[in-house]
Amino acid sequence: PCRSFHGYNRLLTSHITSHYDSINQCKKELPEYFNFASDVLDEWSQLEKDGRKPANPAFWWVNEEGEEVKWSFEELGFLSRKAANVLSEACGLQRGDRVIIVLPRVPEWWLLNVACMRTGIVLIPGTSQLTAKDILYRLQASKAKCIITSDTLAPAVESVVSDSQFLKSKLIVGKGSRDGWLNLKELL
């Protein structure tokens, strides 16, 4: 059964199930390449634009202070394309490159996840409890070309960055600026 959201079915469960069943029964071919951002999020955005699906939030985040961020499918698509451009252009990343994201679960965490899916960049998530030694190990083992973190975790990255020969760009999610770091909010 579907959960109700503002009087509308939140999930198109019957549509999703019938699509899955048709693939399982070989009535539809599996796509050679699948991209969640373009094949699902952008499709749902188009359904909303065409009036074939009621407008529901694609993303709804609320923190402990009651601040909230709510994005429609269209907004999430637009913002994730902008974030993908930041990763590709400002950070110089390409399909298959690895990026480590060490952030608490703020809206930018999800936005960057979708941007990585959109571009084919490999996302390596890390908890904000990582130490400088943990970060260095992950940078070296993954050969990540970019790291994305917050103002508070940037000093830990800076303390080990000289030992990571593959790292090309550092992206900070926050209000402040740091020497040698790109700022996501400014670039968006």
Side-chain angles (χ1 to χ4, degrees):
C2 297
R3 285 184 50 199
S4 198
F5 182 81
H6 294 294
Y8 297 107
N9 285 338
R10 182 170 175 215
L11 298 174
L12 303 173
T13 307
S14 61
H15 177 71
I16 293 168
T17 303
S18 65
H19 186 74
Y20 174 77
D21 287 341
S22 63
I23 290 173
N24 261 352
Q25 297 166 7
C26 299
K27 293 177 184 173
K28 278 190 180 179
E29 285 191 40
L30 283 173
E32 185 176 353
Y33 300 100
F34 174 78
N35 185 301
F36 181 79
S38 58
D39 294 335
V40 176
L41 294 179
D42 292 350
E43 179 67 26
W44 282 35
S45 175
Q46 192 59 50
L47 290 172
E48 283 183 355
K49 283 182 194 176
D50 295 345
R52 294 184 289 149
K53 180 182 178 305
N56 282 323
F59 177 81
W60 194 348
W61 175 88
V62 182
N63 70 8
E64 285 113 22
E65 289 82 40
E67 296 173 283
E68 61 181 42
V69 173
K70 201 184 292 190
W71 294 323
S72 67
F73 285 94
E74 184 177 4
E75 290 168 323
L76 181 56
F78 175 75
L79 290 170
S80 68
R81 281 187 286 281
K82 285 178 79 169
N85 287 338
V86 168
L87 295 174
S88 302
E89 294 169 12
C91 297
L93 300 174
Q94 300 174 19
R95 175 179 293 280
D97 286 344
R98 294 170 208 95
V99 59
I100 295 177
I101 297 182
V102 184
L103 287 172
R105 297 307 178 251
V106 293
E108 292 83 0
W109 189 87
W110 280 277
L111 181 63
L112 289 160
N113 270 269
V114 175
C116 285
M117 289 177 211
R118 197 172 283 288
T119 57
I121 293 168
V122 179
L123 179 129
I124 303 166
T127 174
S128 53
Q129 296 175 335
L130 293 176
T131 65
K133 183 179 174 184
D134 298 327
I135 292 169
L136 176 61
Y137 173 76
R138 283 162 175 77
L139 285 169
Q140 291 174 335
S142 70
K143 300 178 183 173
K145 291 186 178 179
C146 178
I147 188 161
I148 304 169
T149 193
S150 64
D151 303 356
T152 55
L153 296 168
V157 173
E158 288 174 341
S159 71
V160 298
V161 77
S162 62
D163 295 328
S164 180
Q165 65 272 28
F166 301 101
L167 193 64
K168 303 291 182 225
S169 58
K170 300 174 293 194
L171 190 62
I172 198 161
V173 174
K175 296 175 184 147
S177 62
R178 295 181 80 85
D179 286 339
W181 289 77
L182 300 168
N183 185 294
L184 179 66
K185 291 183 188 226
E186 290 173 11
L187 292 169
L188 284 177

